[in-house]
Amino acid sequence: MSYVYFILDSLSNAIKIGYADSIDSRLISLQVGNPRDLELLHYIECKNSEHSRLVEDSYHKQFEHLHIRGEWFKYDESMFRDLFLREGSSRYEQL
């Protein structure tokens, strides 16, 4: 199993779109190098790592106009909330 994740750095208003086999391990490793709290907003379960890379790439292209650097994108809450609600489970289901 592999995942595409969306991790928010709310102080810099940036969201990271990446993939990993273990979201918990990835969040921990990102947090170690970041002085601000990071928050997992959403994830998508994929069949395998190759599938995750393809899904991740499609989201990088979809949000290219918000690209900051690497896998970090400007966080547009309404745009991402709509995506997360379409995709299913996320913290936004409570809204």
Side-chain angles (χ1 to χ4, degrees):
M1 196 65 54
S2 189
Y3 305 89
V4 172
Y5 59 79
F6 298 80
I7 292 176
L8 177 66
D9 177 340
S10 59
L11 289 178
S12 66
N13 198 42
I15 189 165
K16 180 170 175 45
I17 304 171
Y19 76 92
D21 292 334
S22 170
I23 298 172
D24 291 335
S25 295
R26 185 64 176 137
L27 182 57
I28 289 167
S29 70
L30 288 170
Q31 191 62 75
V32 166
N34 193 323
R36 297 176 294 268
D37 288 332
L38 300 176
E39 178 184 3
L40 176 66
L41 291 186
H42 185 73
Y43 65 89
I44 300 165
E45 197 172 287
C46 298
K47 295 180 254 186
N48 53 44
S49 292
E50 183 178 332
H51 182 231
S52 290
R53 282 191 295 274
L54 292 172
V55 172
E56 176 204 42
D57 188 52
S58 72
Y59 286 117
H60 285 182
K61 287 177 181 156
Q62 179 177 343
F63 296 110
E64 184 175 44
H65 63 288
L66 300 174
H67 186 251
I68 298 170
R69 173 183 297 135
E71 296 180 336
W72 289 94
F73 297 80
K74 182 178 181 220
Y75 180 56
D76 179 319
E77 184 173 5
S78 64
M79 190 176 295
F80 281 98
R81 180 181 52 233
D82 291 347
L83 168 69
F84 299 158
L85 288 172
R86 279 194 315 269
E87 289 291 333
S89 155
S90 78
R91 73 179 189 134
Y92 289 107
E93 286 187 347
Q94 307 305 317
L95 299 177

